[in-house]
């Protein structure tokens, strides 16, 4: 139920579902992940960090929890700490497109736009229809002054987003 509510953007309602699951089984790494994701989406970044850490204690190298931890650290503007989270997730799952996007976003925040664009390219290699990778690629290319390529990437992102339910 928590996952369904989260996918509908109803994070306040999703959070108690994960807490209830954890009341029955504190070892449930997926419940810790869900709780952290809901907290992250609600802007509770420090709380989310604790939940992602618990998920990682329960399942070493859990790529989704590493992604969440990295995104939370990025939101806290702790980019130097976020980058290794994405790197570790990608070592275990190099085809993890969302991990490449997170890594690229962090590099972009650090002003490393060429490296960021390369990460978005890598994400698109594994998931060619990932709108967030196209959108972020457009941002990185704009920062580099590559206007035609940036426009094309933004247009591709918009066309993918239109097709979403």
């Amino acid at each position: 139920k928590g996952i369904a509510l989260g996918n509908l953007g109803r994070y306040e309602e999703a959070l108690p579902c994960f807490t209830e699951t954890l009341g029955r089984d504190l070892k449930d790494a997926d419940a810790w992940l869900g709780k952290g994701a809901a907290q992250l989406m609600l802007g509770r970044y420090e709380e989310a960090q604790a939940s992602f850490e618990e998920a990682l204690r329960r399942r070493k190298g859990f790529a989704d929890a590493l992604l969440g931890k990295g995104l939370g650290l990025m939101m806290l503007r702790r980019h130097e700490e976020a980058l290794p989270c994405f790197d570790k997730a990608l070592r275990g799952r190099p085809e993890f497109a969302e991990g490449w996007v997170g890594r690229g976003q962090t590099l972009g925040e650090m002003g490393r736009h060429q490296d960021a664009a390369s990460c978005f390219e890598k994400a698109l290699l594994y998931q060619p229809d990932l709108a967030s990778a196209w959108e972020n690629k457009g941002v990185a290319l704009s920062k580099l002054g590559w206007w035609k390529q940036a426009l094309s990437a933004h247009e591709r992102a918009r066309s993918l987003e239109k097709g979403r339910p």
Side-chain angles (χ1 to χ4, degrees):
K1 183 176 178 182
I3 293 169
L5 288 166
N7 286 333
L8 292 170
R10 294 165 55 182
Y11 308 111
E12 284 288 353
E13 294 172 75
L15 204 48
C17 296
F18 297 116
T19 302
E20 182 179 329
T21 299
L22 291 167
R24 290 190 298 268
D25 181 7
L26 279 174
K27 294 180 183 177
D28 189 334
D30 292 311
W32 282 111
L33 173 67
K35 183 175 183 177
Q39 291 165 324
L40 184 68
M41 297 307 291
L42 290 167
R44 300 177 189 170
Y45 306 127
E46 294 292 347
E47 292 173 41
Q49 290 303 301
S51 294
F52 294 131
E53 284 294 333
E54 283 297 325
L56 289 164
R57 272 195 264 297
R58 309 300 181 215
R59 190 181 306 159
K60 301 288 183 221
F62 190 5
D64 293 309
L66 286 162
L67 171 67
K69 181 178 177 183
L71 292 172
L73 289 167
M74 186 176 70
M75 297 308 293
L76 290 166
R77 314 226 21 97
R78 292 163 51 189
H79 306 300
E80 296 293 335
E81 293 174 66
L83 211 48
C85 295
F86 300 118
D87 292 340
K88 187 172 181 182
L90 291 165
R91 270 194 303 277
R93 264 176 68 193
E95 76 290 350
F96 188 27
E98 291 86 354
W100 286 108
V101 171
R103 186 176 197 282
Q105 289 172 319
T106 301
L107 289 168
E109 289 291 325
M110 296 168 75
R112 295 172 53 189
H113 304 296
Q114 182 71 51
D115 293 333
S118 296
C119 288
F120 303 129
E121 278 296 320
K122 196 78 160 179
L124 292 166
L125 176 69
Y126 294 112
Q127 197 172 337
D129 290 338
L130 186 59
S132 64
W134 283 107
E135 184 64 33
N136 282 290
K137 179 181 174 182
V139 170
L141 294 173
S142 291
K143 298 281 185 178
L144 292 167
W146 299 353
W147 310 116
K148 287 182 183 178
Q149 298 94 325
L151 179 60
S152 177
H154 285 299
E155 288 173 345
R156 179 73 175 130
R158 295 295 176 262
S159 71
L160 290 167
E161 288 171 352
K162 283 183 184 176
R164 283 187 169 167

